[in-house]
């Protein structure tokens, strides 16, 4: 049993104990069950599918914006980070980035 399977089971238990509605829990259970069945290579494939690109890019944009606002980066450096990030998404596979 892995962490994803444990999370799915915890949602099932919460439904059984009336701590959460079945309707609220079902999407999470479905997702965690699926993730629990995935191999490491499956995760790379999921990421490379672009399913998570906009989420990852939104985190990056937020991080850069906060670093610019804090004065850690200037605007030109922030732009350089955003551009490099976009380039890497187009040029590298997830497995290559994680293992490279």
């Amino acid at each position: 049993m892995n962490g994803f399977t444990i999370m799915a089971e915890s949602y099932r238990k919460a439904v059984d104990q009336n701590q959460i509605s079945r309707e609220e829990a079902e999407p999470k259970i479905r997702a965690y069950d699926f993730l629990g069945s995935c191999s490491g290579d499956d995760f790379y494939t999921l990421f490379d599918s672009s399913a998570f690109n906009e989420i990852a890019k939104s985190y990056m944009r937020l991080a850069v914006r906060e670093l610019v606002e804090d004065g850690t980066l200037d605007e030109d450096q922030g732009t350089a980070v955003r551009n490099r990030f976009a380039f890497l998404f187009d040029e590298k596979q997830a497995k290559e980035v994680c293992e490279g």
Side-chain angles (χ1 to χ4, degrees):
M1 186 176 286
N2 62 41
F4 296 118
T5 304
I6 292 169
M7 288 299 296
E9 289 304 316
S10 71
Y11 276 103
R12 285 186 183 92
K13 185 176 179 179
V15 168
D16 291 344
Q17 295 175 350
N18 294 317
Q19 296 171 341
I20 187 174
S21 72
R22 177 154 307 280
E23 294 76 27
E24 187 178 351
E26 279 300 322
K28 293 172 179 30
I29 292 169
R30 219 176 19 258
Y32 284 124
D33 279 339
F34 169 72
L35 292 170
S37 73
C38 291
S39 70
D41 283 340
D42 292 337
F43 286 107
Y44 295 134
T45 300
L46 285 167
F47 197 84
D48 287 337
S49 75
S50 77
F52 305 104
N53 284 10
E54 288 310 309
I55 296 169
K57 288 176 183 178
S58 293
Y59 273 105
M60 182 274 308
R61 284 190 292 268
L62 177 60
V64 169
R65 184 173 60 240
E66 288 179 357
L67 290 168
V68 169
E69 289 171 358
D70 292 347
T72 304
L73 297 176
D74 64 33
E75 286 292 339
D76 289 340
Q77 291 169 324
T79 298
V81 169
R82 286 187 293 271
N83 289 342
R84 179 57 56 105
F85 190 86
F87 171 79
L88 290 172
F89 257 68
D90 291 338
E91 296 296 318
K92 304 277 185 186
Q93 298 290 306
K95 187 171 187 174
E96 180 182 3
V97 170
C98 291
E99 295 180 352

